[in-house]
Amino acid sequence: MTVPHLLSTNDLSVEDIIVLLDDAASFVTSDGLRAKRSLELGGKRLVLAFFEPSTRTRLSFETAADRLGASSIFFQTSGSSVEKGETMRETIMTIQAMGFDAIILRHATNGIHAEIASYSKMSVINAGEGSAQHPTQALLDASALRERFGSIEGKRVAIVGDLRHSRVARSTADVLLRLGAEVAFCAPDALAPQDHQFSLMTRFPSLDEVLPWADVVYLLRIQRERISDDSIIDPLDYRRKYAFTIEHANSNPNVVIMHPGPVGVGVEIDEAVLDLNQCLIHRQVTHGVAMRMAVLRKLLNH
Ligand code: CP
């Protein structure tokens, strides 16, 4: 029997996305998550293998599993036999031999999730893949945005910052465009995307110039872990042209602010912006649990 995977937003049709959005919406309340737990995935066993750091994705998958009655175990990759030179395939086969139903995987290498899915008998769920994909982030972003506006159709979303190294930009832009949003971007040359996906999108030269156009400003962290020479970024120029300040918020009270986290306080966003009602960043995190519940139900409820 082949098992279902979630490797990319491209695995999902618009109809699939809407089913997931509706399911996730049933798990949230106006100020948090529904208290009700279920045992719907009782007996299912998940392993989380994160070869890169995480707070939100890891904890929200663990919380989602807990709320659905599934067990989850975190595989600590540092200190494991990976450090003794064990191959990825052998690590995966070892985990699989312990009877897990799904592996939730974060890894810096583009393409590794699909490669593992080609031989894994466990469902492979992409929890972040290099600069390529972060499908559950895209889904949770759509979920938080749909809740705020009622519909994503026609909304103007400006993605601002380091798009070149961002898996979130790629997956979130794909989902929002397919749900009918207009997406534009704003980035310095050194961090501008170079792939076909963004080639037809409008590019704005600065945050000041995109703000009058945008309903939503989606800020991105500078992904220094993927940049070998960070002298390509001038911090003062970056802050002047791309950082969202409290003055931007005060003069544009209707613009919605999003960010996948973790945020670079004082780099791409002012700390005072984080608690504003127009800022969805913490609501995105709540939707992260709800959406990961929806994804686990879709993939494992059989
Ligand atoms: N947005 C996101 O993936 O955050 P973490 O790196 O904390 O999981």
Side-chain angles (χ1 to χ4, degrees):
M1 187 183 106
T2 57
V3 292
H5 306 292
L6 178 56
L7 303 176
S8 162
T9 53
N10 298 315
D11 294 346
L12 301 168
S13 65
V14 170
E15 291 71 28
D16 292 332
I17 294 169
I18 289 169
V19 168
L20 287 166
L21 292 175
D22 289 344
D23 202 24
S26 74
F27 299 127
V28 293
T29 64
S30 57
D31 62 353
L33 290 159
R34 280 196 199 291
K36 192 166 171 284
R37 286 182 153 71
S38 85
L39 294 176
E40 195 177 338
L41 296 185
K44 298 291 182 188
R45 301 183 66 231
L46 317 179
V47 61
L48 287 89
F50 279 49
F51 291 79
E52 286 188 324
S54 169
T55 297
R56 289 149 203 79
T57 312
R58 173 186 169 177
L59 286 178
S60 61
F61 267 116
E62 288 175 334
T63 306
D66 175 60
R67 296 177 81 88
L68 293 168
S71 73
S72 63
I73 290 184
F74 186 70
F75 169 54
Q76 188 72 46
T77 54
S78 65
S80 75
S81 290
V82 170
E83 292 186 351
K84 296 187 227 168
E86 186 165 66
T87 64
M88 178 58 89
R89 185 183 172 96
E90 200 39 34
T91 297
I92 297 297
M93 296 311 274
T94 300
I95 292 171
Q96 183 168 290
M98 296 184 199
F100 289 100
D101 299 288
I103 179 163
I104 297 164
L105 178 70
R106 171 168 290 193
H107 201 284
T109 305
N110 291 359
I112 201 163
H113 295 71
E115 186 188 321
I116 291 168
S118 72
Y119 59 79
S120 170
K121 294 191 176 71
M122 303 177 282
S123 286
V124 178
I125 301 177
N126 188 338
E129 172 192 354
S131 59
Q133 271 287 323
H134 196 350
T136 58
Q137 178 71 46
L139 293 165
L140 77 86
D141 290 338
S143 185
L145 209 47
R146 191 178 76 154
E147 177 185 64
R148 176 56 66 108
F149 286 120
S151 167
I152 290 169
E153 177 94 40
K155 290 290 171 280
R156 292 173 160 185
V157 181
I159 305 179
V160 179
D162 181 6
L163 284 87
R164 184 174 300 182
H165 305 100
S166 173
R167 53 196 175 214
V168 174
R170 291 188 172 75
S171 33
T172 294
D174 174 47
V175 166
L176 296 185
L177 281 167
R178 287 198 285 142
L179 293 174
E182 282 184 64
V183 181
F185 74 92
C186 179
D189 285 344
L191 303 177
Q194 294 174 306
D195 41 329
H196 175 69
Q197 186 186 357
F198 296 94
S199 60
L200 297 177
M201 271 182 206
T202 304
R203 179 178 176 186
F204 287 85
S206 69
L207 187 57
D208 284 336
E209 283 162 272
V210 81
L211 269 168
W213 175 86
D215 298 304
V216 180
V217 171
Y218 194 109
L219 300 162
L220 295 170
R221 178 176 69 88
I222 301 172
Q223 310 251 305
R224 292 193 187 277
E225 66 276 27
R226 295 186 223 292
I227 299 173
S228 50
D229 172 14
D230 66 5
S231 69
I232 59 170
I233 304 149
D234 173 347
L236 290 178
D237 184 63
Y238 192 88
R239 177 142 183 93
R240 191 167 50 82
K241 289 194 190 146
Y242 308 104
F244 199 101
T245 63
I246 191 67
E247 290 77 26
H248 286 124
N250 290 338
S251 53
N252 298 274
N254 294 322
V255 79
V256 166
I257 304 143
M258 300 179 77
H259 192 305
V263 297
V265 167
V267 181
E268 73 270 11
I269 192 165
D270 281 1
E271 191 157 29
V273 173
L274 299 176
D275 295 324
L276 299 176
N277 182 48
Q278 72 194 95
C279 179
L280 280 194
I281 294 174
H282 297 136
R283 191 67 182 160
Q284 284 171 264
V285 175
T286 301
H287 278 264
V289 176
M291 182 49 75
R292 281 151 186 149
M293 289 173 75
V295 165
L296 293 179
R297 288 186 74 216
K298 175 179 164 64
L299 295 182
L300 298 179
N301 208 353
H302 51 79

